[in-house]
């Protein structure tokens, strides 16, 4: 698979990507004619596990997910890209909603209806390599037998994994899922469908995606909204050097229900256990896509996102929204270094660190606010709003508050 340099375009062809039957050709191109519907009106490309989800907001938004053909490279190369389209176009510039690391557009299940009620034209987008796009067949066969995982929140995290790795090529080829490919794919989607400067919203690691995109394609972004932003990590660090055996073992652990449930407990305060169990299923639904492991490992070993040097280059007016009870970004900032745990916790998921980690007994809130002040200082045209009694995923935790802030900011001159 050809590697991309940051800032470079993908190679002229990305083989193994085909347009589904739900498209038809017109004037040399393609258009979506509908993805049909399975039981309960869900698109047939969604994993069957969608039927187990009880959250009515997630079920309703899932029914609206579509795949649009996004041209990559040559004229015959398309990726069927998943998103939620607005029902109507407005005169005002649209709002584009990104998601956290290793997540999907279903993150916006509670806020999206409110954005539509407020009269905004909103797009909920799946970033390349995550969500429910069609990236072709899995290119690796992997069997993991996970041994014993022991985690201590306050002291050290220890990981013991016994794995059997069986590797063999399978049909199909995954497109690159590094930061440059994600950026270029997003730009092609914007150029083909959105076509106007947008208010770009990025939560957690999605804030890094938003900054990276805004700096490289300033004509596409009118304003930025960053929610509990995680933007000071210098990529995936030593994780990029992991042997594939270890990388696949770690990613397999990342999918497990107990780890994701633990992350949900960190991300949200005071929700019933039954709801936390259901929201865990929502958060890991995209992990059942056949290409998910390959795409996640591809991103990990590519180096991830490093936008530290780009923050001061942002010219757009920016709103920073932060939850006062965020237990995820604050942990990362307090540690003073980038670890696998902090990287994965940025998005609602937990994974035990592979390197040494000591959680220092210091006031995490002070560090959190210090780094947010640093971000506000380095962004030349930024304002900040803090939400009390709110955790890491403000748009899920307090959707009405977040939607009001976004709507007021989008309409402000």
């Amino acid at each position: 698979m050809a590697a991309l340099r940051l800032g470079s375009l993908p190679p002229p062809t990305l083989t193994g990507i085909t347009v589904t039957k739900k498209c038809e050709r017109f004037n040399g191109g393609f258009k979506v004619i509908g993805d049909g519907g399975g039981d309960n009106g869900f698109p047939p490309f969604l994993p069957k596990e969608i039927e187990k989800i009880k959250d009515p907001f997630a079920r309703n938004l899932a029914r609206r997910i579509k795949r649009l053909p996004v041209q990559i490279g040559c004229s015959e190369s398309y990726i069927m890209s998943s998103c939620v389209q607005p029902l109507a176009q407005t005169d005002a510039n649209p709002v584009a909603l990104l998601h956290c690391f290793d997540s999907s557009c279903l993150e916006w299940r509670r806020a999206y209806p409110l954005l539509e009620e407020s009269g905004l034209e909103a797009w909920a987008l799946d970033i390349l390599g995550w969500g429910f796009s069609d990236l072709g067949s899995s290119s690796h066969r992997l069997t993991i037998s996970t041994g014993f995982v022991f985690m201590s929140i306050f002291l050290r995290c220890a990981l013991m994994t016994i794995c059997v790795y069986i590797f063999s090529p399978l049909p199909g080829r995954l497109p690159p899922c590094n930061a440059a490919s994600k950026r270029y794919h997003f730009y092609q989607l914007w150029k083909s469908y959105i076509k106007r400067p947008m208010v770009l919203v990025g939560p957690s690691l999605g804030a890094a995606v938003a900054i990276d995109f805004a700096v490289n394609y300033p004509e596409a972004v009118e304003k930025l909204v960053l929610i509990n932003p995680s933007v000071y990590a210098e990529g995936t660090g030593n994780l990029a050097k992991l042997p594939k055996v270890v990388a696949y073992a770690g990613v397999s652990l990342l999918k497990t229900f107990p780890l994701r449930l633990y992350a949900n407990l960190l991300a949200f305060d005071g929700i019933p256990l039954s709801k936390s169990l259901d929201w865990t299923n929502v958060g890991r639904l995209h992990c059942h896509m056949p290409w998910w492991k390959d795409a996640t490992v591809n991103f990990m070993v590519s180096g991830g996102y490093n936008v530290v040097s780009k923050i001061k280059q942002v010219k757009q007016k920016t709103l920073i929204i932060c939850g006062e009870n965020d237990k995820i970004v604050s942990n990362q900032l307090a540690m003073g270094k980038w670890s696998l745990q902090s990287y994965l916790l940025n998005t609602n998921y937990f994974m035990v660190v592979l390197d040494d980690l000591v959680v220092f007994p210091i006031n995490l809130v002070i560090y959190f606010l210090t780094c947010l002040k640093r971000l506000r200082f380095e962004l030349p045209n930024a304002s900040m709003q803090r939400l009390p009694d709110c955790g890491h995923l403000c748009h899920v935790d307090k959707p009405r508050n977040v939607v009001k802030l976004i709507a007021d900011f989008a309409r402000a001159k």
Side-chain angles (χ1 to χ4, degrees):
M1 185 183 303
L4 299 184
R5 294 175 299 175
L6 285 177
S8 65
L9 299 184
T13 60
L14 292 175
T15 59
I17 305 303
T18 57
V19 177
T20 68
K21 296 177 182 179
K22 300 301 180 181
C23 295
E24 65 179 20
R25 187 180 293 272
F26 72 102
N27 295 331
F30 294 91
K31 66 178 179 181
V32 174
I33 61 173
D35 284 298
D39 295 339
N40 297 318
F42 296 120
F45 55 78
L46 291 183
K48 65 182 184 300
E49 287 78 7
I50 182 65
E51 300 288 352
K52 301 177 182 179
I53 291 174
K54 300 176 183 178
D55 185 343
F57 295 101
R59 294 174 69 88
N60 289 338
L61 194 62
R63 292 186 180 100
R64 291 186 54 183
I65 298 176
K66 295 182 178 180
R67 281 176 171 174
L68 303 177
V70 175
Q71 183 176 348
I72 300 294
C74 72
S75 59
E76 296 301 320
S77 185
Y78 287 80
I79 292 178
M80 296 304 298
S81 306
S82 51
C83 67
V84 177
Q85 282 183 289
L87 297 176
Q89 182 173 319
T90 64
D91 293 333
N93 284 341
V95 175
L97 309 169
L98 301 177
H99 54 73
C100 300
F101 163 80
D102 193 21
S103 186
S104 75
C105 58
L106 290 179
E107 227 177 69
W108 290 95
R109 58 193 178 272
R110 303 187 71 200
Y112 192 91
L114 300 175
L115 286 165
E116 288 192 321
E117 287 179 13
S118 69
L120 292 175
E121 177 185 339
W123 292 74
L125 307 173
D126 281 340
I127 301 168
L128 180 69
W130 301 314
F132 307 103
S133 298
D134 182 8
L135 300 188
S137 301
S138 174
S139 59
H140 300 88
R141 183 181 292 116
L142 176 70
T143 303
I144 295 292
S145 173
T146 303
F148 143 83
V149 180
F150 171 79
M151 185 272 304
S152 171
I153 301 175
F154 301 103
L155 300 175
R156 285 182 178 265
C157 298
L159 169 65
M160 295 180 63
T161 302
I162 302 172
C163 64
V164 178
Y165 181 79
I166 305 174
F167 178 87
S168 62
L170 295 178
R173 183 181 175 187
L174 193 76
C177 294
N178 54 34
S181 296
K182 293 176 188 292
R183 179 201 315 137
Y184 182 73
H185 170 265
F186 182 18
Y187 175 73
Q188 290 297 103
L189 188 149
W190 172 83
K191 188 171 70 171
S192 299
Y193 299 100
I194 302 177
K195 300 179 181 180
R196 291 174 290 155
M198 55 192 171
V199 178
L200 185 55
V201 184
S204 194
L205 189 71
V209 179
I211 287 175
D212 176 72
F213 187 84
V215 170
N216 283 278
Y217 300 110
E219 71 278 9
V221 181
E222 179 194 17
K223 297 178 181 178
L224 283 174
V225 179
L226 310 179
I227 302 175
N228 283 330
S230 174
V231 295
Y232 287 111
E234 297 182 359
T236 56
N238 291 329
L239 298 180
K241 302 175 183 178
L242 287 178
K244 285 292 183 68
V245 173
V246 179
Y248 273 96
V251 167
S252 295
L253 287 174
L254 175 60
K255 182 180 178 179
T256 59
F257 189 89
L259 296 183
R260 302 239 177 191
L261 175 61
Y262 177 79
N264 259 292
L265 296 175
L266 281 181
F268 303 106
D269 279 329
I271 66 171
L273 179 60
S274 59
K275 180 177 287 189
S276 187
L277 293 172
D278 193 45
W279 284 8
T280 299
N281 284 325
V282 175
R284 68 193 292 265
L285 182 64
H286 67 286
C287 299
H288 298 287
M289 299 300 287
W291 43 259
W292 174 78
K293 281 184 184 177
D294 293 330
T296 304
V297 170
N298 187 300
F299 175 75
M300 180 189 298
V301 301
S302 74
Y305 276 94
N306 182 353
V307 299
V308 177
S309 63
K310 296 181 180 180
I311 293 174
K312 293 181 180 180
Q313 301 176 40
V314 173
K315 304 300 181 184
Q316 292 85 351
K317 188 175 181 180
T318 303
L319 172 65
I320 303 170
I321 302 174
C322 58
E324 291 187 350
N325 294 341
D326 188 348
K327 300 176 183 177
I328 293 178
V329 171
S330 57
N331 286 340
Q332 168 208 328
L333 298 175
M335 281 185 278
K337 71 170 187 174
W338 192 237
S339 68
L340 180 59
Q341 183 190 36
S342 64
Y343 182 61
L344 299 179
L345 278 179
N346 270 330
T347 63
N348 190 14
Y349 312 129
F350 172 79
M351 187 169 185
V352 182
V353 272
L354 295 179
D355 56 355
D356 286 339
L357 170 62
V358 178
V359 180
F360 298 104
I362 52 180
N363 193 330
L364 303 181
V365 176
I366 294 177
Y367 273 75
F368 180 43
L369 295 179
T370 300
C371 289
L372 284 177
K373 289 179 180 178
R374 173 187 171 188
L375 178 61
R376 183 179 177 184
F377 175 78
E378 292 187 347
L379 287 171
N381 194 9
S383 60
M384 183 184 298
Q385 292 288 340
R386 296 170 58 188
L387 295 181
D389 302 318
C390 187
H392 185 59
L393 299 180
C394 299
H395 48 303
V396 182
D397 217 354
K398 303 286 184 182
R400 290 192 178 277
N401 302 66
V402 171
V403 166
K404 185 179 188 309
L405 290 173
I406 293 175
D408 291 347
F409 181 68
R411 293 188 173 112
K413 299 298 183 181

